[in-house]
Amino acid sequence: MQHISRRQALIGLGALTFVVAGCADDEVPKKAADSANKAGAMASFGVNQQFKATEAVSFDVLYNNHPFYPLKNDWLFWQELTKRTNVTLKPVAVPLSDYEKKRGLLVGSGQAPLIIPKTYHPSEEAFVASGAILPVSDYLDLMPNFKDKVAKWKLEPELNTLRQSDGKFYLLPGIHESPWVDYSLAVRTDILDKHGLALPKTWEELYTVLKALKKEYPDLYPMTDRWGVPTPGGNLIKLVAQAYGAKGGWEYQHATWDAAAGKFAYTGAMPQYKQAIEYLHKLVDEKLLDPESFTQQDEQAKQKFNSGKSFVISTNAQTMINDYRPTLTKLVPDAKIVKIPVPMGPVGEYKIQTRLENGVMISKKALENKNFVAMMQFVDWLYYSDQGQEFAKWGVEGTTYTKDASGKFTLNKDIDFIGLNAGAPKHLQKDFGFSNGVFAYGGPTKLVQSTFSEEELEFQNVMNARQLWPVEPPHPFNDVEREQATLWETPLKDFVTQQTLKFILGERDLSEWDAYVKELEGKNMTAYVNLVNTAYERFKKEHG
């Protein structure tokens, strides 16, 4: 098996940077602050200043309705938000399972709410050419908190990855002071201890552990997995591909920067992507990984793990507390589980994670709303000010939490959240609407980690000791290129997804890899990569 070296992974990768408020934003014919639509806006609004509209205003917001904490109209979040800001949000609720599809239909038809959260880059690119969403980088003078954090945290390289061919970006991302990793694998440590097995630190060590467990439990699959719907192997393929220097699963993108070559390569045909597939195929072929992992519903996966029919499964901090421990400890009282640091592979001790999260799109029709300036100030306060982020995450001081002189948060004893007060009668998300994924993400490291258990902090300490994978250079398409790329992307991605699954499950032999690559070429892979590299060279030339 051919492995890439750390040197190959890093050579030649340079970030293209320019100041957020400069360059493309200076070309705006009329400054956003001069907008006529200032009804309800504050005359002066600065960093960490409480926003409060000068008159009662309301904005509709697309709401990703999570089944774990379904929408309630009487949440304290709504009431307190209006009390503090004079803004009433009107949620247009869409089930989490249907969110992306429904969002696309609403934006495409011009019927989307003014505020469109929970959008993952590059999903916004599909709406740029039609003019359905606002080039938000044109209006950053209305967002002092966003600009302040970008400058303090030196986020320009990451923001540049969002910019389109016009030099603007159309998504207000969630931003972190420090990169952090949430998703990894949960492992039954009681089972490992019983058989004298150490926690795996690499994917090869995981293979060894699974092989040993298979010998002890020949009738079981030592590992089963979740999050295979709608993206087969969403988390698992992502993590394994990262270890080899590729993109897969949830984070699959058609093009990956080849630092050694100084250009982009087609991800689904890269040797590193093949190596990730070979590893996963080995697990399935030797019956170490449940083949249903890539297609089963989450409930099936959880049932297998929680009943002791498997010992390893994908997790994040919340699913450990909400989905596994309560049920597992009832069914298997002596069970112990831990979220292990993401196993490493050939690229070494890297964490491949940016400091950007899913973000907010703004409907183009918002520009004509008389409260446009007030709305942008409000969005800036809620998503980017220290006070707004603290409110969205923790709630109301004295009612849901307390904070001491050192800044340490303590959740009220009668309220639970990710096991901080296990068994408490109330829940921060379900009963109050705080720590809601639509509104609470990103922020200063101290705030992000304020809800972490000691166990999670230990995980983060290990991950934070690793180097951050370099930011890829931007390669935005112009309108003509985007139209062409759109015609090629879906057939290419569908084919890569289908064949990846076939290779992993053994339905197609890996000896046919070269034939698969030729099939990709027949689906315009080479033309697509040429388009990407043309866009990269043009952007580098025009924007430095």
Side-chain angles (χ1 to χ4, degrees):
M1 184 181 295
Q2 179 186 1
H3 294 305
I4 62 168
S5 69
R6 185 176 304 183
R7 181 174 180 273
Q8 286 174 314
L10 296 175
I11 288 176
L13 182 54
L16 301 170
T17 61
F18 46 91
V19 179
V20 169
C23 200
D25 303 333
D26 291 338
E27 298 167 8
V28 182
K30 176 178 160 184
K31 281 199 170 186
D34 296 331
S35 171
N37 294 324
K38 293 182 177 180
M42 293 176 63
S44 62
F45 173 59
V47 175
N48 287 324
Q49 179 182 357
Q50 175 63 52
F51 168 79
K52 188 158 190 175
T54 58
E55 60 185 57
V57 296
S58 65
F59 306 117
D60 50 357
V61 57
L62 194 62
Y63 184 85
N64 188 357
N65 202 3
H66 200 293
F68 183 72
Y69 46 95
L71 173 67
K72 293 181 181 177
N73 293 324
D74 63 351
W75 273 339
L76 179 61
F77 174 84
W78 307 118
Q79 301 165 19
E80 187 68 21
L81 186 69
T82 299
K83 178 181 175 182
R84 295 188 185 196
T85 66
N86 215 11
V87 172
T88 299
L89 286 181
K90 297 180 178 179
V92 177
V94 176
L96 177 133
S97 60
D98 201 33
Y99 189 75
E100 289 200 15
K101 181 180 178 181
K102 183 68 171 178
R103 183 190 61 209
L105 292 172
L106 288 170
V107 175
S109 65
Q111 301 301 309
L114 299 181
I115 303 171
I116 311 165
K118 213 66 181 174
T119 298
Y120 290 85
H121 176 71
S123 299
E124 82 280 8
E125 292 179 355
F127 312 116
V128 170
S130 67
I133 57 174
L134 216 58
V136 287
S137 57
D138 283 355
Y139 304 96
L140 298 185
D141 54 312
L142 301 177
M143 306 189 70
N145 291 289
F146 179 86
K147 289 176 67 175
D148 177 65
K149 284 183 167 57
V150 167
K152 282 196 307 188
W153 298 345
K154 296 180 173 59
L155 282 162
E156 291 89 349
E158 283 96 330
L159 279 183
N160 286 340
T161 64
L162 305 181
R163 292 189 185 268
Q164 302 303 305
S165 59
D166 56 8
K168 304 176 183 183
F169 55 88
Y170 292 71
L171 180 71
L172 289 167
I175 55 177
H176 286 265
E177 179 181 8
S178 305
W180 71 291
V181 176
D182 190 15
Y183 288 82
S184 187
L185 301 177
V187 177
R188 283 276 304 275
T189 52
D190 59 308
I191 296 295
L192 266 58
D193 291 343
K194 179 179 179 181
H195 300 291
L197 300 169
L199 281 175
K201 295 181 179 179
T202 68
W203 290 102
E204 285 305 316
E205 288 179 7
L206 177 67
Y207 166 74
T208 301
V209 166
L210 294 177
K211 202 165 178 63
L213 292 175
K214 183 67 177 178
K215 185 176 180 180
E216 297 290 341
Y217 305 92
D219 296 331
L220 301 180
Y221 289 107
M223 180 176 181
T224 195
D225 209 32
R226 63 181 301 179
W227 293 320
V229 180
T231 305
N235 182 56
L236 181 58
I237 298 179
K238 179 194 80 168
L239 295 179
V240 175
Q242 285 179 352
Y244 288 90
K247 300 171 186 169
W250 280 334
E251 69 178 12
Y252 182 84
Q253 292 185 29
H254 294 281
T256 296
W257 179 248
D258 184 338
K263 61 183 180 180
F264 285 89
Y266 190 77
T267 304
M270 292 174 68
Q272 297 94 320
Y273 191 78
K274 180 186 179 185
Q275 291 163 12
I277 289 176
E278 287 173 331
Y279 175 83
L280 288 165
H281 168 69
K282 179 170 67 172
L283 297 190
V284 172
D285 186 55
E286 297 185 23
K287 296 181 170 53
L288 309 179
L289 172 63
D290 182 356
E292 294 182 353
S293 295
F294 301 91
T295 54
Q296 67 188 346
Q297 297 291 331
D298 280 7
E299 285 304 317
Q300 292 175 276
K302 289 189 290 183
Q303 192 278 331
K304 292 174 183 177
F305 182 76
N306 288 336
S307 63
K309 293 179 180 177
S310 69
F311 313 118
V312 182
I313 192 171
S314 280
T315 192
N316 61 21
Q318 289 203 39
T319 56
M320 283 278 290
I321 304 300
N322 296 332
D323 292 349
Y324 304 147
R325 280 209 173 105
T327 305
L328 181 60
T329 51
K330 286 179 183 177
L331 297 175
V332 188
D334 296 329
K336 295 179 181 179
I337 56 174
V338 67
K339 183 173 84 166
I340 64 170
V342 177
M344 295 175 288
V347 301
E349 295 190 25
Y350 286 89
K351 56 177 177 180
I352 306 178
Q353 187 76 28
T354 76
R355 292 182 290 167
L356 305 186
E357 278 219 40
N358 66 86
V360 179
M361 295 188 296
I362 302 295
S363 172
K364 186 67 175 289
K365 63 187 179 183
L367 198 58
E368 307 306 319
N369 189 293
K370 69 176 184 177
N371 303 123
F372 173 69
V373 172
M375 187 191 76
M376 296 303 288
Q377 291 177 340
F378 166 76
V379 168
D380 183 59
W381 177 83
L382 178 59
Y383 286 96
Y384 302 108
S385 75
D386 290 349
Q387 300 96 324
Q389 290 176 334
E390 182 176 313
F391 164 74
K393 189 175 184 73
W394 279 96
V396 180
E397 189 168 6
T399 301
T400 58
Y401 74 97
T402 57
K403 186 166 68 167
D404 65 20
S406 69
K408 181 183 177 181
F409 294 84
T410 301
L411 195 61
N412 284 13
K413 291 297 184 184
D414 61 340
I415 303 172
D416 186 31
F417 175 61
I418 55 173
L420 292 177
N421 291 316
K426 299 174 185 176
H427 194 276
L428 189 64
Q429 292 169 310
K430 295 178 182 180
D431 297 307
F432 297 93
F434 298 108
S435 282
N436 186 322
V438 177
F439 304 112
Y441 44 82
T445 301
K446 187 174 182 179
L447 179 66
V448 171
Q449 295 187 350
S450 63
T451 55
F452 288 178
S453 64
E454 289 300 319
E455 176 186 22
E456 180 63 17
L457 286 171
E458 288 179 17
F459 171 87
Q460 294 298 331
N461 288 338
V462 173
M463 295 305 299
N464 288 340
R466 300 182 185 180
Q467 296 184 46
L468 182 65
W469 195 257
V471 178
E472 291 192 343
H475 55 279
F477 294 132
N478 60 32
D479 289 349
V480 174
E481 291 165 341
R482 166 51 57 198
E483 185 176 355
Q484 180 60 73
T486 300
L487 296 176
W488 292 337
E489 284 174 340
T490 299
L492 278 168
K493 186 173 183 180
D494 287 348
F495 186 71
V496 170
T497 300
Q498 293 163 4
Q499 300 307 308
T500 295
L501 201 52
K502 286 185 176 182
F503 281 130
I504 291 172
L505 296 179
E507 296 172 4
R508 184 172 188 180
D509 197 275
L510 278 157
S511 64
E512 296 185 26
W513 181 264
D514 291 344
Y516 153 75
V517 172
K518 286 182 179 178
E519 290 161 6
L520 281 172
E521 290 173 352
K523 296 182 181 296
N524 301 297
M525 173 188 75
T526 302
Y528 182 88
V529 171
N530 289 340
L531 208 63
V532 170
N533 282 310
T534 297
Y536 157 66
E537 293 290 350
R538 181 183 60 247
F539 193 87
K540 180 172 68 170
K541 180 179 179 182
E542 293 179 356
H543 300 288

